[in-house]
Amino acid sequence: MNKEYMVRATAANGQIRAFALTGREMVETARVAHNTAPVVTAALGRSLVAAAMMGSMMKGDEDLLTIHIQGTGPMGGLNVTADSKGHVKGYPFQAQVDIPANAQGKLDVGGAIGEGNLVVIKDLGLKDPYVGQTVLQTGEIAEDLTYYFATSEQVPSSVGLGVLVDTDCTVRQAGGFIIQLMPDVTDEVIDQLEASISKVKSVTEMLEEGHTPEDILKELLGKMQLEILDTLPVKFQCDCTEEKVLSAIASIDRKDLQSIIDDGEPIEVRCQFCNKNYKFEVEKLKEIMKG
Ligand SMILES: [Zn+2]
């Protein structure tokens, strides 16, 4: 069984829906691809974990969800994209950020991102994508998404995200949960859930204790008729190909393309999402020019 997966569940007879995920390798792949400093690894990792779960809320095979964060901090922000099948990709605006720990002695994700906006874009194959924008609350991402769900989607939610970076800067743990209240939820269920959330340890503590996504949901919803619906493998995966990069080059202005050819040097194009480098010889560019 794949150790990197999310579970989807309901509780309280459908009054609650819940997601939990473990994805150390998923975040480690992103860290290696972008060579991120620890605080950036945490910010990017939390966003990837959340995006994977939010992506799985969409129905269509072609649906895409993007989380775009823009902030005034040294990291500038990030972009992550998820499909509905557990695949995510993403990049930080600045990979190397070095700032002191916060008052709790933790990686200062909020400080690295700063003040700004969070935008969620859902491309559901319709003419116009759904776009929801909110102001960053703390820049710590889980709180910002909780606020986003409440204000933009009108779905009261509890979001927990955790990335633990090891002393050698590799990812030691990564995971999270999203718990959402459905419109018919009773006050009794809300009280029970709030009591339970106030008692649980942090996501990284639970992961360090060896908790699976099922265990995390049991901690939160175990006394509330928790029902696991399914599991879905998760992975950092980019869909870029040489063909797609070539067609992007083909769409640039003819004059610009000619001047690149005139330079006589091969060109290198880097995929933003996975940092993969594509190199094209002048001959190839001439072929594109001919169409
Ligand atoms: Zn790529």
Side-chain angles (χ1 to χ4, degrees), residues 89 237-241 270-276 278:
K89 59 180 182 177
Q237 181 174 292
C238 191
D239 52 358
C240 67
T241 59
R270 205 170 272 283
C271 171
Q272 241 178 348
F273 281 96
C274 69
N275 236 358
K276 189 173 172 191
Y278 292 90

Side-chain angles (χ1 to χ4, degrees), residues 44 46 106 121 128-130 133 143 163 168 199 233 255:
L44 184 61
R46 288 179 195 173
K106 300 257 171 69
I121 303 156
D128 297 311
Y130 162 90
Q133 180 167 338
E143 289 87 346
V163 173
D168 64 358
K199 270 184 253 151
K255 261 207 319 235

Side-chain angles (χ1 to χ4, degrees), residues 27 41-51 107 109 139-142 161-163:
V27 176
T41 307
L44 184 61
R46 288 179 195 173
S47 305
L48 290 167
V49 167
L107 292 169
V109 171
E140 293 283 333
I141 300 171
L161 304 169
V163 173

Side-chain angles (χ1 to χ4, degrees), residues 47 72 77 80 84 117 139 146 150-151 204 215 234 283 286:
S47 305
T72 53
V80 300
S84 59
N117 295 304
T146 301
T151 57
T204 46
D215 295 335
V234 296
E283 287 308 310
K286 283 181 184 162

